């Protein structure tokens, strides 16, 4: 707790320092952020500053700083349980509905309407938390007259959980749809790697060739297949692993709840909706890949399903879905909005599609007729198709022509070494002439027969490179074209002087060209060095 409080305090101080020196429009936002972090710091570190109890168990009842320092008497406690969220133990005290005084005095901002009070034990060491839980259970059994009823209710709930698991296994004996989607994603990635793509960080050009999503390719060139193919491509092993872990964690239960056919419908609807949403944001300027839209759709569908069937799902399972999956979803969305390079539009599109599909479709728990379920699935699929088509057609004008951009990049990578080689060979022979190792005539013959043809060929190849809209290398290509043109003109002027065909201003022109070539070479070196700096 002290470590977290210290980090929060450092963030608060840093934000306040930024706010003090920020321009007028940004300062209020930063001050508000600093105030928010200060409030969070006090909320997290208050037990340190005030020497409060994390959990105190005594003859009269249970008290904690999370209960506003109040004590809940044993007579008001109907049950005691422990939940684990992200490896942190949380004590859950279920109170009697008529325990009005205890409920009012211990109410906090996030208490909710349920007659429950939660005490997080994250501030304790694991051994201390285990000791506290054991003492709490011992105190409840020894002093509360409701302990026997609570034990009976827990046993009943455990039997219901076992029966529920058996019923799910009966409804969907083999969740092959989930296995197929994981296998397909992993198989496509293996195919990428075996054909030469990078294991950890494949290039955008390689991913585009395999079918990555691009607003220009979809809306301008009508390559609609990319909306689907992009969802089976990943930007490396880590990207794939994170998506598959999320899909596996949420997909196991959702697949059994909705069956294989409806699970596939939810998966593909979320994937397509995520890709369509990306056309409005990430895919405008960069290629977009990954199954995250489908994964977020499965997460959203599971949370909606847990809410719809909360009366049928075991309580512990429902709480686990709403806490663990809800927290993971919130963290993933916040992380996506706070970092560059994450296509959160695809996440949001997939999430909304998955949630809507789970609401429209009938889970196997509702036991509708097979024909009615198929009709609902067909109607939901048609609705998704119309919605995705509408989102695609409403996409704004694309800003980057990725196909032309990557084709130009490949040709540029081939021509740059030719330009560098021709320029280096010319400079080497020029130095040889200056040192007397080559006569003036020999140098002129070599320029005319070798260097000039090489420079002209490279310049022509450079001029033939297609110009893509939104190409960030446009300035570099222009500099290269001017550099080669200046080298060609300089060599031609030097040959004319050597042959006695020079004009009065030829020497002055040569000097200007030499200065221009040096300036462009320095500018290209600076741009190359800036591109190599980590960002």
């Amino acid at each position: 707790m002290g470590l977290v409080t210290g980090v929060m305090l450092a963030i608060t101080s840093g934000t306040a320092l930024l706010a003090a020196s920020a321009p007028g429009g940004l300062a209020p936002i930063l001050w508000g952020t600093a105030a928010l972090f200060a409030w969070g710091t006090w909320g997290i570190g208050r037990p340190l500053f005030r020497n409060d109890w994390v959990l105190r168990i005594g003859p009269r009842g249970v008290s904690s700083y999370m209960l506003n320092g109040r004590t809940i008497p044993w007579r008001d406690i109907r049950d005691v349980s422990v939940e684990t969220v992200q490896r942190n133990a949380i004590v859950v005290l279920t109170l009697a509905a008529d325990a009005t005084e205890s409920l009012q005095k211990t109410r906090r901002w996030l208490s909710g309407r349920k007659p429950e009070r939660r005490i997080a034990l994250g501030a304790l060491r694991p051994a201390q938390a285990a000791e506290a839980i054991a003492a709490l259970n011992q105190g409840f059994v020894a002093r509360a007259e409701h302990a026997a009823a609570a034990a009976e209710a827990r046993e009943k709930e455990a039997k219901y959980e076992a029966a529920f698991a058996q019923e799910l296994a009966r409804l969907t004996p083999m969740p092959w749809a989930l296995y197929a989607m994981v296998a397909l994603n992993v198989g496509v990635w293996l195919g990428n790697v075996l054909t030469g793509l990078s294991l950890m960080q494949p290039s955008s050009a390689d991913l585009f060739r395999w079918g990555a999503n691009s607003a220009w390719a979809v809306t301008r060139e009508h390559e609609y297949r990319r909306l689907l193919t992009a969802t089976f491509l990943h930007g490396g092993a880590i990207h794939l692993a994170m998506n598959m872990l999320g899909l596996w964690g949420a997909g196991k239960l959702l697949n059994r709840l909705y069956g294989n056919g409806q699970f596939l419908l939810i998966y593909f609807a979320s994937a397509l909706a995520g890709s369509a949403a990306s056309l409005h944001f990430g895919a405008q300027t960069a290629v977009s890949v990954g199954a995250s839209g489908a994964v977020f759709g499965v997460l959203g569908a599971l949370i909606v399903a847990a809410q719809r069937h909360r009366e049928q799902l075991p309580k512990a399972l429902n709480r686990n879905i709403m806490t663990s999956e809800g927290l993971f979803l919130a963290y993933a969305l916040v992380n996506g909005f706070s970092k560059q390079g994450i296509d959160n539009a695809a996440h949001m599109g997939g999430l909304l599609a998955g949630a809507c599909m789970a609401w429209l479709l009938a889970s196997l728990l509702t036991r509708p007729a097979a024909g009615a379920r198929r009709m609902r699935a067909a109607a939901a699929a048609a609705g998704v198709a119309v919605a995705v088509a509408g989102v695609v057609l409403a996409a704004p004008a694309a800003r980057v022509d990725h196909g032309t951009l990557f084709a130009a990049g490949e040709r540029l990578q081939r021509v740059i070494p030719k330009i560098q080689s021709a320029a280096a060979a010319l400079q080497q022979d020029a130095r040889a002439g200056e040192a007397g190792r080559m006569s003036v005539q020999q140098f002129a013959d070599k320029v005319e027969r070798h260097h000039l043809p090489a420079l002209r060929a490279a310049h022509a190849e450079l001029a033939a490179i297609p110009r893509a809209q939104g190409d960030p290398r446009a300035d570099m290509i222009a500099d290269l074209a001017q550099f080669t043109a200046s080298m060609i003109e300089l060599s031609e002027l030097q040959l004319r002087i050597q042959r006695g065909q020079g004009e009065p201003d030829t020497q002055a022109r040569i000097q200007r060209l030499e200065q221009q070539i040096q300036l462009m070479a320095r500018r290209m070196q600076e741009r190359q060095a800036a591109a190599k700096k980590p960002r």
Side-chain angles (χ1 to χ4, degrees):
M1 182 174 282
L3 178 62
V4 175
T5 303
V7 172
M8 291 285 288
L9 190 60
I11 295 174
T12 303
S13 302
T15 308
L17 289 174
L18 288 174
S21 58
L26 187 59
I29 299 175
L30 289 174
W31 280 119
T33 305
L36 182 63
F37 274 108
W39 175 76
T41 303
W42 171 249
I44 293 173
R46 187 175 62 177
L48 297 176
F49 306 138
R50 297 178 54 176
N51 198 29
D52 287 340
W53 293 98
V54 174
L55 179 64
R56 187 181 188 187
I57 304 157
R60 292 193 303 114
V62 180
S63 62
S64 167
Y65 80 94
M66 297 191 73
L67 301 175
N68 299 328
R70 301 286 183 171
T71 298
I72 298 179
W74 290 112
R75 65 175 180 275
D76 289 344
I77 300 176
R78 291 294 182 268
D79 197 6
V80 172
S81 60
V82 179
E83 296 179 2
T84 301
V85 178
Q86 302 296 324
R87 298 182 180 180
N88 292 316
I90 299 176
V91 169
V92 182
L93 303 178
T94 302
L95 307 187
D98 58 354
T100 306
E101 184 178 359
S102 293
L103 289 170
Q104 288 179 348
K105 290 183 177 180
T106 59
R107 183 179 298 278
R108 306 189 81 192
W109 182 45
L110 297 176
S111 295
R113 296 182 179 180
K114 293 182 179 180
E116 293 180 349
R117 292 296 179 261
R118 295 171 176 266
I119 304 172
L121 304 184
L124 302 179
R125 295 187 180 90
Q128 290 176 323
E131 184 180 357
I133 292 168
L136 179 61
N137 287 326
Q138 184 179 0
F140 177 66
V141 171
R143 296 179 179 87
E145 62 267 24
H146 310 287
E152 184 180 351
R154 282 198 292 268
E155 184 179 357
K156 184 178 179 181
E157 183 67 17
K159 290 180 180 178
Y160 183 75
E161 288 179 9
F164 183 81
Q166 291 178 356
E167 178 65 8
L168 280 185
R170 186 190 69 80
L171 292 173
T172 310
M174 174 65 71
W176 56 261
L178 173 64
Y179 303 154
M181 291 303 98
V182 173
L184 187 57
N185 277 280
V186 174
V188 170
W189 176 76
L190 287 174
N192 294 160
V193 174
L194 292 175
T195 54
L197 270 68
S198 170
L199 180 71
M200 302 303 294
Q201 195 170 5
S203 68
S204 298
D206 288 337
L207 292 172
F208 183 81
R209 281 194 296 271
W210 272 81
N213 196 17
S214 162
W216 187 289
V218 172
T219 61
R220 295 283 191 97
E221 299 174 6
H222 309 296
E223 296 179 359
Y224 301 113
R225 60 181 175 81
R226 292 182 179 274
L227 295 174
L228 183 61
T229 57
T231 64
F232 292 99
L233 298 172
H234 288 85
I238 295 177
H239 187 202
L240 173 72
M242 294 298 292
N243 277 339
M244 293 304 100
L245 284 173
L247 176 60
W248 187 264
K252 288 185 294 183
L253 179 57
L254 187 72
N255 197 167
R256 292 191 183 276
L257 280 173
Y258 281 86
N260 291 302
Q262 292 192 137
F263 176 83
L264 290 177
L265 187 56
I266 292 171
Y267 183 93
F268 283 109
S270 303
L272 291 173
S275 292
S278 180
L279 297 178
H280 294 254
F281 298 96
Q284 282 283 313
T285 55
V287 298
S288 175
V289 296
S292 54
V295 173
F296 271 76
V298 170
L299 278 169
L302 182 59
I303 292 174
V304 169
Q307 182 65 20
R308 284 189 67 191
H309 303 291
R310 58 186 178 276
E311 301 298 331
Q312 295 171 279
L313 266 64
K315 293 180 181 179
L317 177 61
N318 189 280
R319 283 196 301 265
N320 183 61
I321 292 172
M322 300 306 291
T323 54
S324 295
E325 302 298 343
L327 285 174
F328 174 78
L329 185 61
Y331 167 77
L333 289 174
V334 171
N335 186 57
F337 281 117
S338 61
K339 289 185 178 180
Q340 292 183 346
I342 297 178
D343 193 353
N344 235 14
H347 297 173
M348 292 299 298
L351 175 64
L352 292 175
C356 291
M357 292 295 289
W359 192 262
L360 293 172
L361 296 174
S363 78
L364 301 184
L365 296 176
T366 58
R367 302 181 185 274
R373 185 181 293 117
R374 283 195 294 270
M375 288 184 64
R376 292 181 71 165
V384 167
V386 171
V388 168
V391 173
V392 171
L393 294 175
R399 287 185 278 173
V400 177
D401 181 358
H402 288 109
T404 306
L405 176 71
F406 295 133
E410 291 179 0
R411 295 176 68 173
L412 188 62
Q413 292 302 314
R414 290 196 297 267
V415 73
I416 285 178
K418 296 178 182 179
I419 295 173
Q420 293 173 336
S421 177
L426 178 59
Q427 291 173 356
Q428 183 179 2
D429 286 345
R431 287 193 296 267
E434 292 172 357
R437 297 191 301 272
M438 182 183 294
S439 67
V440 174
Q441 185 59 44
Q442 288 175 325
F443 176 70
D445 290 342
K446 203 158 187 183
V447 168
E448 186 173 12
R449 294 179 181 178
H450 297 285
H451 301 316
L452 265 177
L455 285 170
R456 286 170 180 156
H459 184 69
E461 191 172 344
L462 189 65
I465 293 178
R467 300 295 190 265
Q469 178 175 315
D471 193 342
R473 300 163 304 200
D475 291 341
M476 182 185 71
I477 295 175
D479 283 348
L480 277 173
Q482 190 176 1
F483 177 79
T484 53
S486 298
M487 290 284 291
I488 292 170
E489 184 181 358
L490 177 63
S491 300
E492 290 174 345
L493 290 176
Q494 289 174 337
L495 281 178
R496 292 174 66 179
I497 289 178
Q498 193 274 335
R499 293 169 179 168
Q501 300 173 352
E503 298 177 359
D505 61 341
T506 300
Q507 196 61 43
R509 177 61 179 164
I510 287 176
Q511 291 178 355
R512 288 196 299 271
L513 285 171
E514 288 176 342
Q515 293 174 356
Q516 190 176 20
I517 289 171
Q518 291 176 357
L519 178 63
M520 285 186 291
R522 185 165 59 251
R523 190 162 60 196
M524 287 188 290
Q525 290 174 352
E526 291 173 353
R527 185 182 289 113
Q528 195 172 25
K532 291 181 179 179
K533 288 182 179 179
R535 296 182 180 179

